[in-house]
Amino acid sequence: MSEPLQISLNNALSPMMEEFLYFNDYAMTMLLMIWFSVMTTLFIISTTKLYNISPNDANHLEFMWTLLPVLVLMFIALPSMRTLYLLEDQNPPHLTIKTLGHQWYWSYEYSDYENMSFDSYMVKEQDLTNGSPRLLEVDNRMVIPTKSTVRLLVTAEDVLHSWALPTLGAKTDAVPGRLNQLIFTTMRPGVFYGQCSEICGTNHSFMPITAESMPMKQFENWITTLLN
C-alpha cells in the first residue's frame, strides 16, 4: 500500500512487478544520462567562446546526432520487448477467478468450485477496525494462495471499470460484454490494496479492491469454511 509522501513505486510482490520495477529503474537511468549530457552541453556552450563559425558542412556531427538517438531508443526498446514477452508467457494457472465489476462494488466467482461466489463492498468509515485503511478495506476479500499461478477473468455488468492491484503489477479494464485476462503469482502472504482505475460514475472512489494471499493450507481451509 502506498504511504504519504511516497515518490517511488510500491514494493514488488509478484515476479512481473519486479520486472516492471527493473525496467522503470533502467529507463529512468537512461533519462538521467540524457539530461546530464544536455545540461553539460548547454553549460559548455554558454560559458566558452571556443565555437566554430565556419560554413563548412559537418557531416560527421550530423551522423552522430542521428545515430545517438537511435541507439538510445534501441537500449530502451529491447528491455521493453523482453518485459512484454514475459507478461504474455505465463505458466498454466492453478486457480481461476472471475471478477465482475458493478456500480459500485466487485463480485468474485471461484470457477474451480461449485457455488463459490460473493460480493465485495467497501467497509464504511464508522465500521472500520483499528489499523484498517480508509476507503480501501472491504467486507469480503479476494483470497488467493501464495506462490500459485492465478488467472483472473475480468468483465463488467454495467459500465467500464478497471481492476488494478499496483503491488502485483496487475491492471486490466472491465468492459461489459468482453472478457479480459490477468495472470499473476504472489511471492509472499499479505494483504494487497487497489482501487477501480476507470472513472465509472458517482461512487467511483468507493469501490476498492482488496486481495489476501495466504499459504495453500490456509487457503484450502478458507475454501472449506465458505463451502460449508
Side-chain angles (χ1 to χ4, degrees):
M1 187 174 67
S2 300
E3 300 292 339
L5 302 180
Q6 177 178 325
I7 61 174
S8 60
L9 298 177
N10 292 333
N11 293 331
L13 296 175
S14 70
M16 279 312 306
M17 188 59 186
E18 284 189 344
E19 290 292 334
F20 294 151
L21 290 179
Y22 161 76
F23 179 72
N24 175 76
D25 295 341
Y26 178 81
M28 290 302 296
T29 302
M30 298 291 293
L31 292 177
L32 286 174
M33 292 172 59
I34 295 172
W35 176 84
F36 182 78
S37 301
V38 172
M39 296 304 295
T40 302
T41 303
L42 290 176
F43 178 78
I44 294 174
I45 292 175
S46 61
T47 57
T48 182
K49 297 184 181 298
L50 299 177
Y51 50 81
N52 187 0
I53 59 175
S54 174
N56 294 332
D57 293 334
N59 294 329
H60 295 292
L61 180 61
E62 293 178 0
F63 176 77
M64 290 302 298
W65 72 40
T66 303
L67 178 63
L68 288 178
V70 173
L71 292 177
V72 170
L73 290 177
M74 288 184 61
F75 277 114
I76 295 178
L78 293 179
S80 176
M81 294 174 62
R82 174 183 177 275
T83 303
L84 289 174
Y85 175 79
L86 293 176
L87 185 63
E88 297 297 330
D89 185 31
Q90 299 282 357
N91 296 325
H94 303 153
L95 176 69
T96 299
I97 304 175
K98 181 180 179 181
T99 304
L100 187 63
H102 308 268
Q103 289 182 311
W104 287 272
Y105 63 97
W106 296 96
S107 296
Y108 298 100
E109 176 185 330
Y110 288 69
S111 305
D112 299 313
Y113 304 91
E114 294 184 2
N115 302 321
M116 181 62 186
S117 61
F118 54 85
D119 297 329
S120 180
Y121 290 87
M122 184 191 73
V123 176
K124 296 181 180 179
E125 187 172 357
Q126 60 269 23
D127 298 329
L128 288 174
T129 58
N130 291 334
S132 298
R134 176 178 173 270
L135 300 181
L136 290 176
E137 192 57 81
V138 297
D139 54 357
N140 293 307
R141 296 171 175 173
M142 184 189 77
V143 179
I144 52 179
T146 305
K147 297 181 180 179
S148 293
T149 305
V150 177
R151 174 173 58 190
L152 198 70
L153 304 177
V154 184
T155 186
E157 184 184 45
D158 34 46
V159 299
L160 290 175
H161 300 281
S162 183
W163 197 94
L165 273 182
T167 52
L168 298 181
K171 182 180 183 296
T172 189
D173 289 335
V175 183
R178 179 175 177 176
L179 208 61
N180 289 330
Q181 176 178 280
L182 282 174
I183 297 180
F184 56 85
T185 303
T186 58
M187 298 187 297
R188 64 174 178 83
V191 180
F192 319 127
Y193 296 99
Q195 288 180 303
C196 176
S197 299
E198 187 77 42
I199 297 178
C200 54
T202 307
N203 293 329
H204 158 69
S205 301
F206 306 105
M207 52 180 306
I209 300 162
T210 304
E212 182 175 359
S213 175
M214 58 179 60
M216 179 60 72
K217 187 62 177 179
Q218 296 183 20
F219 175 77
E220 292 175 350
N221 293 337
W222 177 79
I223 289 290
T224 302
T225 303
L226 286 185
L227 292 178
N228 291 337

